[in-house]
Amino acid sequence: MNDQRPNPDQLLARVEREQAKAKRGRLKIFFGAAAGVGKSFAMLLAARERRAENLDVLVGLVETHGRKDTQLLLEGLEILPPRHIDYKGTVLQEFDLDAALKRRPAIILVDELAHTNAPGSRHPKRWQDIHELLEAGIDVYTALNVQHLESLNDDIGQISGIRVWETVPDTVFEDADEVELVDLPPDELLLRLKEGKVYLPQQAQQAIHNFFRKGNLIALRELALRQTANRVDAQMLDYREDHAIRDVWQVNERLLVCIGPNAMAERLVRAGKRLAASLRAEWIVAYVETPQLQRMPAEKRDGVLRILRLAEQLGAETVTLSAPEMSDAIIRFSRERNINKIVVGKPSRRGWRRWLMGSVVDVLIGHAHNINIYLLGSPQLAERAELEPELSLFKKSPLPGLRQRIPSKTRKRYQGYLWAVAVTLISTLVGHTMFGRLELANLVMVFLMGVVFIATRFGRGPSILASVLSVAAFDVLFVQPYYSFSVADSQYLITLSAMLVVAIVISNLMVSVRSQAKVAAHRERRAAALYAMSKELAGSQTEADIVRTAVRHLHSEFSSRNVILFADANGRVVYPKQKGIRESLHGADLSVAQWVLDHNETAGQGTNTLPGAAAVYFPIRDEEQVLGVLALLPVNLRRVFLPEQQKLLETFLRQIGQAVTRLRFSEQARSTQMQMETERLRNSLLSAISHDLRTPLATIVGSASTLVEGEPHLRPQDKLELSRAIVEEAERMSNLVNNILDMARLDAGVVELNKQWHPVEEIIGTAMTRLQKQLLGRQVKVKLPPGIPMVHADAVMIEQVLINLLENALRYTPAGSDLEINVQIAAGSVEIALADHGPGIAKGMEHRLFEKFYQARHEAAQSGVGLGLAICRAIVEVHGGSIRAHNAPDGGAVFSFSLPVDQAPPVLELDEDES
């Protein structure tokens, strides 16, 4: 097998990353330790170089802070005008994102990546503006100081004593395509500060005594250099992975400490910590779980877990590897992570045992090229293979009511050996029945089948015993001289030796295959559990659904009752409101959960924090904050704290956090959309009312003032006309207000229908009577075919529908033009249509006509707030019908609505007098 061949999955991931990057713009960050090191200056120099290459470069926003050298570099570059925002009487200048997207340059310069935008901007942070530019395919140059990285915020606050509030998520820095470090020694930066090249003189003096102390600058410079070095190291690892490079490159000190299930492991971890500290190196503690180690007693596995927990407390990264051979796993992991130093203990095997069975140290020395191997000496006491009982992590008694059941390993081991003897006897009996009829080679196959059966069911020890017993039985019973271990023909010595070797090899292979099958089945089960949980979480619509799904899957995987706790509006952890979750844990300690929420650390049983608690409490977090707490009551702590189980639980918690974050973002977006819609409706309502009430109010005020002043030349007829004008305009205002109130009632769903049986012609006649004055000069043709059934409806509301449709037709059609009302019978409904001879409906506007506050023309003569047709649609839909609009083939518009006729009208009994 070629170790240099790239991993297909890694190649696929690389192609997907490259395709994703090809669609978006490139982000280059000019990174520095503090303000004044020259980030903006370097950014402008790079922009001028790209401009000299005839690339379209645009200065979106660059903060010069009055520095003349920086201002000179802006000359000759196109500058995007800023956007002015009026905030509390102060005009703020912000980056104009929409103008930049419309201009769409090849490269745009946007300074101060961590800047917080003014209220009213599209995004609260500038890095979100830059993200939108990148998604649009625009390359961006920006600048960032190390103190603005989110992960370093607390450390920098502790160093400088000043809290930095404007921060950027580390993922933005990590996803940048290029980071250029702009460095300046602290003494030179302080000199620039005193010369007024960073801040104004008054601000400079204050900065020197606060944030810009020399010690702070040295610490910030080291952090900036480390961040840049870590990024370069990550790029190097990606390059090695993409190009399938397996040789270790000696570019960075990285230490690997290998531990095993023995008392020497703790000394290895402590020695590795001291060595890593002296080298200032990153260090990793690895435990390789081979098939032999998977069969260890629970006490030994607990001891390994304790050592891994100790390594994490000392600052190491811990990993658990699974492989048939320990040395192969160590070498492969070292090459993947570019580890150049390995710390292991001296081999415990001596003499012939080491020569015959080999040693992990010897294999590492022979195959780990370009890697330095450090051997740690040990006292003789540490040569014991078993851990002392006091090394166990789980010293405390099990939880009340929950007992750990320890299976009997001895009985199972003895059963395997007994089965080996029994199967050998059975193979001997079968061979005896076949003896004399078949060749001896066929009898050998019978014994080998028995060995394979024992190896498959009971492991290596019983299978080796079966191999030896099979060879002995074959020699005694089937090879001359019979009933003796001596061999008459020397060729049978080769047969018996080959039979013994083949039997032992087969037994070892079957044991290895069985172990690998168990590991594969375990991994497949974990992958299936993760897939099932992620699939259900993706379909969850509420936090209650997320909690229900998570609790059920966590109980299924860890056999433990659990509950997910969220904080209320005051930040206090409370129990969820939903009930009836069978797997849920009741009675969790909310004070422990509150501590976990506040400190973002695990606490409870089996941890170093509040170990007296009955349950274990884990924080559920996203990239930025703690979202909730998982309280889990374990039946067996090994199900939670074993390395492979702990990684599975961390993945579960990460999926839960992502699901909660997705849901909350969705709710925020929905709430924002509703607020925007409400604001739009409010603005439309105010605009319509202010426009449509101004004209009647002006008429009423003018007419009333004329009447009050009592002009001498006014004739009685003029006074009558003024009075009529006042009444008409007041009626118009009343209609507008009534429309608004009707729409509000319909939206609120508080309208109660007074449904009765009414003839259609009666409803149409009443509506036309109410509009008699408006219909003067118009001819309305009504077509009623015979046999029109009565409709079961609220007559007043259906009349209002007809009145609104008629008023709409009167408003938008030429004066004197005819109108037509047609009634037709359809399947299970009655359809009423109003046709006019006006200009018709603009294409694509057929559905928008029924929206609130929509008006086809915004002319002063067209009075109304755009609610008439919306009220029509609401009334018809309340009745279970539908309404639509379209253009007539011969011109004009047709508005039609249908009312259901789902039952026969009642039969009226005639009185005797009527009969």
Side-chain angles (χ1 to χ4, degrees):
M1 183 176 177
N2 185 8
D3 292 338
Q4 303 299 319
R5 186 175 62 186
N7 189 313
D9 295 334
Q10 295 174 353
L11 288 177
L12 179 60
R14 175 188 174 188
V15 171
E16 291 177 349
R17 289 198 305 269
E18 291 178 351
Q19 289 178 347
K21 285 185 176 180
K23 297 178 181 178
R24 68 194 302 265
R26 294 178 57 83
L27 174 62
K28 181 174 183 179
I29 298 178
F30 292 83
F31 189 58
V37 297
K39 301 182 300 299
S40 300
F41 190 88
M43 180 172 62
L44 287 171
L45 283 178
R48 295 182 72 89
E49 291 177 0
R50 303 306 300 273
R51 182 69 184 85
E53 299 173 0
N54 293 325
L55 289 178
D56 185 10
V57 178
L58 176 66
V59 178
L61 186 69
V62 172
E63 299 289 350
T64 63
H65 298 288
R67 301 165 191 160
K68 296 181 179 179
D69 295 341
T70 307
Q71 291 176 346
L72 289 175
L73 291 178
L74 287 172
E75 297 180 359
L77 295 176
E78 182 183 353
I79 301 176
L80 183 71
R83 187 166 66 97
H84 298 280
I85 298 178
D86 187 4
Y87 180 67
K88 294 183 178 180
T90 303
V91 178
L92 304 178
Q93 292 186 355
E94 288 291 350
F95 171 62
D96 195 340
L97 176 60
D98 292 324
L101 293 171
K102 185 177 181 180
R103 170 67 173 73
R104 199 175 181 82
I107 302 174
I108 187 169
L109 278 62
V110 185
D111 206 355
E112 296 188 359
L113 180 62
H115 173 75
T116 300
N117 293 330
S121 302
R122 181 185 308 175
H123 302 297
K125 303 290 289 187
R126 184 166 292 170
W127 64 264
Q128 295 170 324
D129 295 340
I130 291 177
H131 177 75
E132 188 168 345
L133 292 172
L134 295 173
E135 292 298 322
I138 302 173
D139 294 349
V140 179
Y141 285 1
T142 187
L144 178 69
N145 291 330
V146 68
Q147 66 263 28
H148 294 297
L149 286 176
E150 179 66 38
S151 62
L152 301 177
N153 192 259
D154 294 333
D155 297 335
I156 292 176
Q158 183 181 6
I159 294 171
S160 63
I162 298 175
R163 179 74 173 181
V164 179
W165 296 106
E166 290 186 331
T167 58
V168 172
D170 289 48
T171 52
V172 178
F173 180 80
E174 294 165 359
D175 293 341
D177 298 277
E178 185 178 354
V179 174
E180 181 175 323
L181 178 65
V182 182
D183 186 39
L184 195 66
D187 291 332
E188 293 186 22
L189 179 57
L190 289 173
L191 180 61
R192 284 173 51 84
L193 192 65
K194 292 178 181 179
E195 292 175 350
K197 296 182 178 180
V198 179
Y199 296 120
L200 296 177
Q202 299 83 358
Q203 297 174 333
Q205 289 299 323
Q206 184 179 1
I208 291 174
H209 293 91
N210 292 287
F211 191 81
F212 279 79
R213 294 193 299 269
K214 185 174 180 178
N216 292 351
L217 295 178
I218 293 174
L220 292 173
R221 188 186 187 198
E222 181 180 358
L223 287 173
L225 292 171
R226 284 186 179 275
Q227 288 294 322
T228 309
N230 291 338
R231 176 181 170 82
V232 174
D233 185 64
Q235 290 176 338
M236 181 199 66
L237 292 178
D238 290 340
Y239 179 85
R240 286 166 48 84
E241 178 182 335
D242 293 340
H243 293 80
I245 298 174
R246 296 291 175 259
D247 294 333
V248 176
W249 290 355
Q250 303 287 342
V251 296
N252 189 21
E253 298 292 348
R254 189 173 282 113
L255 189 68
L256 177 66
V257 180
C258 303
I259 64 171
N262 51 57
M264 197 175 177
E266 187 171 351
R267 297 186 67 248
L268 280 169
V269 170
R270 299 187 187 279
K273 168 62 178 176
R274 292 193 299 270
L275 182 59
S278 63
L279 296 174
R280 296 181 177 271
E282 175 188 351
W283 66 301
I284 305 170
V285 176
Y287 167 67
V288 183
E289 195 167 52
T290 61
Q292 294 83 1
L293 296 180
Q294 288 178 351
R295 296 189 295 271
M296 286 191 311
E299 291 77 10
K300 286 190 176 183
R301 302 195 74 181
D302 294 345
V304 173
L305 177 58
R306 171 189 170 274
I307 300 302
L308 291 175
R309 298 284 297 278
L310 173 64
E312 292 178 352
Q313 295 172 6
L314 295 177
E317 177 188 351
T318 60
V319 295
T320 302
L321 308 175
S322 298
E325 295 295 334
M326 187 179 298
S327 55
D328 293 342
I330 294 173
I331 293 174
R332 188 183 311 111
F333 181 77
S334 300
R335 288 172 176 172
E336 291 175 355
R337 297 293 295 271
N338 198 42
I339 291 169
N340 50 22
K341 289 178 174 57
I342 298 178
V343 178
V344 293
K346 284 185 177 179
S348 58
R349 293 171 182 164
R350 296 289 187 270
W352 66 271
R353 295 176 65 245
R354 181 174 179 181
W355 176 80
L356 182 62
M357 303 177 67
S359 169
V360 175
V361 175
D362 296 336
V363 176
L364 291 177
I365 293 174
H367 295 82
H369 304 295
N370 296 332
I371 301 178
N372 299 323
I373 310 295
Y374 292 80
L375 301 181
L376 180 66
S378 59
Q380 191 169 357
L381 182 64
E383 295 180 4
R384 296 179 304 167
E386 297 184 357
L387 290 171
E388 295 295 336
E390 59 267 16
L391 290 180
S392 176
L393 171 66
F394 308 107
K395 298 179 182 179
K396 58 194 304 181
S397 60
L399 300 175
L402 300 176
R403 296 185 178 181
Q404 298 174 350
R405 189 173 69 88
I406 302 177
S408 176
K409 299 288 185 181
T410 305
R411 181 183 302 175
K412 186 175 180 179
R413 188 182 305 115
Y414 287 153
Q415 287 178 353
Y417 289 109
L418 293 176
W419 270 97
V421 175
V423 169
T424 303
L425 291 176
I426 294 173
S427 300
T428 303
L429 291 176
V430 173
H432 187 269
T433 58
M434 299 168 60
F435 183 62
R437 302 177 184 178
L438 300 174
E439 296 291 336
L440 291 180
N442 295 318
L443 301 183
V444 171
M445 294 298 104
V446 173
F447 285 100
L448 290 181
M449 289 176 60
V451 172
V452 170
F453 173 78
I454 295 298
T456 304
R457 295 292 301 274
F458 301 104
R460 181 175 284 105
S463 65
I464 292 177
L465 175 61
S467 302
V468 175
L469 292 178
S470 297
V471 172
F474 182 80
D475 181 21
V476 171
L477 298 178
F478 303 110
V479 176
Q480 295 181 350
Y482 302 121
Y483 309 109
S484 171
F485 286 105
S486 60
V487 178
D489 192 344
S490 59
Q491 66 178 349
Y492 283 109
L493 292 175
I494 300 176
T495 302
L496 294 174
S497 299
M499 180 179 175
L500 179 62
V501 171
V502 170
I504 293 175
V505 170
I506 289 177
S507 66
N508 286 331
L509 289 176
M510 292 303 299
V511 169
S512 178
V513 169
R514 182 186 177 195
S515 175
Q516 292 179 10
K518 288 176 62 178
V519 173
H522 180 64
R523 290 178 177 175
E524 189 275 335
R525 184 179 62 82
R526 289 198 301 172
L530 287 172
Y531 172 75
M533 182 173 178
S534 62
K535 184 179 180 180
E536 289 194 40
L537 288 177
S540 300
Q541 300 297 324
T542 62
E543 285 191 5
D545 294 340
I546 293 176
V547 169
R548 190 176 295 106
T549 299
V551 167
R552 187 176 71 255
H553 282 276
L554 287 168
H555 179 270
S556 174
E557 183 61 30
F558 298 95
S559 301
S560 304
R561 292 189 176 273
N562 60 92
V563 64
I564 295 178
L565 307 172
F566 294 110
D568 59 11
N570 299 321
R572 306 303 300 175
V573 173
V574 295
Y575 252 89
K577 296 180 180 179
Q578 63 267 26
K579 305 295 182 182
I581 303 179
R582 183 169 55 85
E583 301 86 357
S584 182
L585 170 65
H586 304 284
D589 193 337
L590 296 183
S591 61
V592 180
Q594 187 67 47
W595 188 93
V596 172
L597 183 74
D598 295 338
H599 294 81
N600 192 17
E601 295 181 11
T602 304
Q605 185 181 182
T607 69
N608 295 326
T609 304
L610 304 172
V616 192
Y617 297 81
F618 300 91
I620 301 174
R621 60 175 78 88
D622 61 1
E623 298 294 336
E624 299 180 357
Q625 61 180 343
V626 181
L627 302 173
V629 177
L630 168 67
L632 187 142
L633 184 66
V635 176
N636 189 331
L637 282 174
R638 298 185 189 93
R639 293 291 301 271
V640 178
F641 285 109
L642 284 176
E644 61 271 19
Q645 290 294 101
Q646 195 168 7
K647 293 185 182 301
L648 178 62
L649 179 58
E650 290 175 357
T651 306
F652 272 24
L653 294 177
R654 195 177 303 115
Q655 286 187 341
I656 297 171
Q658 291 174 353
V660 173
T661 302
R662 171 189 60 80
L663 183 62
R664 291 184 178 178
F665 279 161
S666 176
E667 291 177 351
Q668 290 178 3
R670 194 181 304 113
S671 175
T672 303
Q673 184 65 28
M674 290 180 63
Q675 291 177 0
M676 293 173 60
E677 184 66 19
T678 302
E679 186 69 17
R680 186 184 69 82
L681 291 176
R682 186 182 68 85
N683 293 336
S684 300
L685 178 60
L686 292 176
S687 175
I689 291 177
S690 62
H691 177 270
D692 293 305
L693 293 184
R694 187 183 300 116
T695 301
L697 278 175
T699 303
I700 292 172
V701 171
S703 300
S705 61
T706 302
L707 290 174
V708 170
E709 292 174 358
E711 294 290 339
H713 60 275
L714 282 178
R715 295 174 300 174
Q717 185 179 357
D718 295 334
K719 293 181 180 181
L720 181 60
E721 292 296 331
L722 290 174
S723 300
R724 287 177 177 173
I726 293 174
V727 173
E728 290 177 356
E729 297 301 328
E731 288 179 350
R732 288 177 58 189
M733 290 179 58
S734 177
N735 290 335
L736 292 175
V737 174
N738 287 336
N739 281 341
I740 296 173
L741 295 177
D742 290 343
M743 195 70 249
R745 285 196 296 267
L746 289 168
D747 283 344
V750 297
V751 176
E752 295 184 2
L753 299 179
N754 181 21
K755 284 188 175 183
Q756 295 183 13
W757 292 98
H758 298 278
V760 176
E761 59 270 22
E762 184 177 300
I763 297 175
I764 297 174
T766 304
M768 294 179 60
T769 301
R770 290 176 58 184
L771 291 179
Q772 187 174 3
K773 290 171 46 176
Q774 291 90 330
L775 292 174
L776 288 176
R778 299 263 192 165
Q779 183 179 1
V780 180
K781 300 177 182 179
V782 180
K783 295 182 180 179
L784 289 169
I788 292 292
M790 293 192 296
V791 292
H792 191 242
D794 189 324
V796 176
M797 300 192 76
I798 299 302
E799 289 169 8
Q800 187 63 45
V801 172
L802 285 170
I803 290 172
N804 289 355
L805 292 177
L806 287 169
E807 288 181 341
N808 183 74
L810 294 174
R811 185 179 297 118
Y812 291 102
T813 56
S817 58
D818 296 340
L819 301 176
E820 296 177 5
I821 298 178
N822 298 319
V823 181
Q824 294 180 351
I825 303 174
S829 65
V830 173
E831 183 174 293
I832 304 173
L834 172 63
D836 60 44
H837 297 279
I841 305 171
K843 187 176 181 180
M845 295 292 106
E846 292 85 353
H847 298 286
R848 291 202 60 192
L849 291 175
F850 298 97
E851 295 179 0
K852 300 173 187 176
F853 307 112
Y854 179 79
Q855 292 177 285
R857 295 198 301 269
H858 299 280
E859 299 165 354
Q862 308 301 335
S863 174
V865 294
L867 288 177
L869 295 180
I871 292 174
C872 291
R873 182 178 65 177
I875 292 175
V876 171
E877 290 179 351
V878 166
H879 281 79
S882 61
I883 188 170
R884 58 192 177 277
H886 63 276
N887 287 318
D890 55 349
V894 179
F895 291 84
S896 61
F897 65 94
S898 59
L899 298 175
V901 181
D902 50 4
Q903 56 182 320
V907 178
L908 299 179
E909 295 183 359
L910 299 178
D911 295 337
E912 293 181 0
D913 295 338
E914 294 178 346
S915 62

